[in-house]
Amino acid sequence: MSDDSTQRFNRRTFLKATGAAGAAAAVSGVTAATPGREPGPKKDEILVGVSAGNGDVEAAVTTHVPGNAEVVHTNDNLRYAAVKFPSQVPDKAKQNFIDAITKKDGIKYAERNKTHKALATPNDPRFGDQYAPQQVESPAAWDEVSGFGDSGVTIAVVDTGAQYNHPDLDANYESNPGKDFVDDDSDPYPPDPSSEQHATHVSGCAAAVVDDGTGVAGQGNSSLINGRALGPNGGSTADIADAVEWATDQGADIINMSLGGGGYTSTMKNAVQYAVSNGALPICAAGNNGSSSVSYPAAYSECMAISAVNSNENLASFSQYGDVDLAAPGVDVLSTIPTDSYAKFSGTSMATPVTSGVAGLTLAKWDLDTAGLRNHLKATAKDIGLSSDKQGAGQVNAYNAVTTQPGDGGGGGGGGGDSSTTTQSGSLSSSSDYDDYSYAWQYSGPSQVVVELSGPSDADFDLYVNTGTTAAPTPSSYDYRSYTTNSQESITIDNPDDSTDMQIDVDSYSGSGSYDLTITEKQ
């Protein structure tokens, strides 16, 4: 705890009606899908989140499942179960199930297992010179990094299946190249490479082998792994969330998600939060419909949202914009495709792995955690003259990223300079207890604040934050929230409103115990 925590925290604690505490902690891991479960989109499934402290996930959900439905998949770490209904069951009946089960004790949420699709907009395949690495100055950065990168840095491609033995990828793909969450096996190689080119192209944008005398060059020689979560017709929230969890557990430093659709879901929110909490930075495509808001998962605060620009550094006509973090080349980007070939594709799907590759090259030079990497990429971005809603902090720049000492700032700004960390400890006594805090800012105009909650493993505590107001947040009224099925919560706010003290609510959804609330403010 910092020395000035007493002055900067004003605690207001209230005890609400006492509720029953949760029972038992969950066992970690993903259980195998029921044999015969169809790959790809799963529109007949409902994902049900079970609060920590409420015992076995499958048992907690099965109790409330009607006779015409069944639990077909569980993830005990993210604490959700997939409930499958027969295809002939009308949507109204499924919605009735959602409405009913969310009222049951210990059920945190229920939602459709939505479908996500790869965000490529391919042109007719053709060969040509690359421009993306040159535009983000990766060649200049290679002079500053031994071996054109570091194989100890891992980028996970959560996408379609990738041709990991492509001549221009093979040396950078790990010997165990990944996992297939669509077909539930250990080989992510696409069953029909002609209809699944996306992840192979994405892999090459990030880390096609540099200086191997073959084909094209990625941004650096990071290691690659592939979580096949999309088939030719897209993929489900559950498969993508499981792939994100798997990639994190494999030790991925960066998780590239060139996919989107389906809107906000608690399951995916929990998955990307799990990634960040365990040292993996999700870098995501802003989307390709040209609208003024970014798609999910890019829109989650845990993820970096990437817009696409062309070779003239103008925003691509298809690129979504709004709350983006960075821009990168995404029009006519030449990269690897199955089988042993090359083509130019366009999309924020291409801009995203260009950014992921630069992030990997950055980690080859500097030892940074997820927040540090995110901030450094933004601090060293190049201002290309677009508005902040189109370029974020700027176009990602590899040379600036590897030659600028972390904390020195530069480029497009965002995340450099000093930081201050304060920790406040507390405890909640029941499922209806909460603590409110008012936090006084350390800096004028802070660039970022990270609010983290670490509570007991057998309880479910949630975190809510308000800025720019003196009103305390609540579970029904808040500016920001972190609402997973456990007590490990995190909220990151860039350029927070510091016109008033920040208001924080630590709330027990179920269970009791001690917690630490940590505020990291960056100048």
Side-chain angles (χ1 to χ4, degrees):
M1 183 185 297
S2 68
D3 292 338
D4 63 343
S5 62
T6 302
Q7 287 72 35
R8 292 170 57 201
F9 272 108
N10 176 30
R11 179 172 177 173
R12 298 177 294 172
T13 305
F14 304 86
L15 181 63
K16 296 181 286 187
T18 302
V27 179
S28 178
V30 180
T31 63
T34 300
R37 186 175 188 231
E38 291 296 320
K42 298 175 177 65
K43 60 183 179 181
D44 294 320
E45 291 184 5
I46 306 298
L47 304 181
V48 182
V50 179
S51 181
N54 283 274
D56 179 74
V57 170
E58 183 170 3
V61 174
T62 300
T63 302
H64 308 297
V65 173
N68 63 344
E70 62 176 330
V71 174
V72 294
H73 175 75
T74 60
N75 184 313
D76 292 332
N77 194 25
L78 299 179
R79 294 193 63 79
Y80 77 85
V83 178
K84 182 180 174 71
F85 285 81
S87 57
Q88 65 269 25
V89 171
D91 283 345
K92 183 177 181 180
K94 295 171 189 172
Q95 186 61 49
N96 288 341
F97 170 73
I98 291 173
D99 294 341
I101 197 169
T102 52
K103 296 175 182 177
K104 304 298 183 181
D105 290 342
I107 302 300
K108 196 70 176 283
Y109 65 86
E111 60 195 10
R112 306 295 179 112
N113 196 355
K114 296 180 180 180
T115 299
H116 304 253
K117 293 183 178 291
L119 291 177
T121 310
N123 292 329
D124 293 330
R126 67 175 188 245
F127 294 104
D129 295 332
Q130 289 180 269
Y131 78 94
Q134 294 87 340
Q135 189 161 302
V136 300
E137 297 193 80
S138 290
W142 295 335
D143 290 336
E144 308 295 328
V145 178
S146 176
F148 303 93
D150 183 357
S151 62
V153 176
T154 299
I155 300 172
V157 177
V158 174
D159 209 290
T160 65
Q163 189 206 346
Y164 49 78
N165 63 354
H166 190 291
D168 217 358
L169 297 174
D170 184 58
N172 279 347
Y173 256 98
E174 294 187 3
S175 57
N176 183 3
K179 184 173 180 178
D180 188 338
F181 292 86
V182 178
D183 291 333
D184 193 29
D185 61 45
S186 60
D187 187 358
Y189 199 95
D192 179 9
S194 65
S195 66
E196 285 191 37
Q197 299 183 333
H198 195 260
T200 306
H201 197 276
V202 165
S203 297
C205 291
V209 183
V210 182
D211 199 38
D212 66 342
T214 302
V216 297
Q219 311 313 311
N221 285 335
S222 299
S223 292
L224 293 165
I225 56 175
N226 174 213
R228 182 175 180 249
L230 307 178
N233 298 315
S236 71
T237 297
D239 287 346
I240 298 166
D242 289 355
V244 169
E245 180 208 19
W246 164 84
T248 304
D249 292 345
Q250 295 302 303
D253 300 286
I254 298 147
I255 301 178
N256 190 95
M257 301 174 72
S258 293
L259 51 84
Y264 181 99
T265 70
S266 294
T267 302
M268 192 69 73
K269 170 74 171 180
N270 291 348
V272 296
Q273 188 167 80
Y274 178 80
V276 171
S277 297
N278 289 278
L281 177 63
I283 299 181
C284 303
N288 290 344
N289 69 15
S291 68
S292 60
S293 61
V294 302
S295 65
Y296 288 95
Y300 296 119
S301 60
E302 291 82 2
C303 303
M304 294 197 78
I306 311 302
S307 63
V309 297
N310 61 21
S311 59
N312 294 320
E313 298 183 331
N314 293 320
L315 187 74
S317 60
F318 55 78
S319 180
Q320 288 170 235
Y321 58 97
D323 190 12
V324 299
D325 291 285
L326 294 167
V331 179
D332 290 338
V333 178
L334 181 65
S335 185
T336 48
I337 62 167
T339 331
D340 302 348
S341 191
Y342 302 86
K344 289 181 178 179
F345 287 178
S346 295
T348 52
S349 280
M350 287 60 253
T352 301
V354 169
T355 305
S356 293
V358 171
L361 197 58
T362 302
L363 291 178
K365 180 72 173 183
W366 308 114
D367 183 14
L368 298 167
D369 61 13
T370 54
L373 176 60
R374 178 186 187 127
N375 292 333
H376 189 65
L377 291 173
K378 294 175 71 171
T380 56
K382 177 184 176 183
D383 184 350
I384 55 175
L386 301 178
S387 58
S388 60
D389 62 337
K390 293 180 172 63
Q391 70 170 8
Q395 182 173 249
V396 68
N397 188 279
Y399 180 72
N400 288 345
V402 301
T403 58
T404 303
Q405 183 77 26
D408 286 351
D418 296 333
S419 65
S420 171
T421 298
T422 303
T423 298
Q424 177 75 31
S425 298
S427 64
L428 299 177
S429 62
S430 73
S431 60
S432 297
D433 195 8
Y434 65 92
D435 288 341
D436 281 349
Y437 296 94
S438 179
Y439 171 83
W441 299 100
Q442 175 71 11
Y443 302 116
S444 175
S447 64
Q448 186 184 77
V449 64
V450 180
V451 186
E452 297 172 290
L453 174 67
S454 179
S457 61
D458 60 349
D460 185 355
F461 292 175
D462 297 323
L463 184 62
Y464 303 90
V465 170
N466 279 349
T467 58
T469 178
T470 57
T474 70
S476 60
S477 177
Y478 54 85
D479 292 334
Y480 308 90
R481 76 170 178 181
S482 183
Y483 182 76
T484 71
T485 52
N486 58 40
S487 298
Q488 308 304 311
E489 311 291 351
S490 179
I491 294 171
T492 299
I493 307 171
D494 290 328
N495 303 310
D497 184 343
D498 63 343
S499 59
T500 66
D501 290 353
M502 181 168 59
Q503 309 300 318
I504 303 165
D505 175 38
V506 179
D507 190 278
S508 174
Y509 182 87
S510 67
S512 61
S514 299
Y515 65 83
D516 288 328
L517 177 66
T518 301
I519 315 293
T520 302
E521 185 183 344
K522 301 180 181 180
Q523 196 170 35

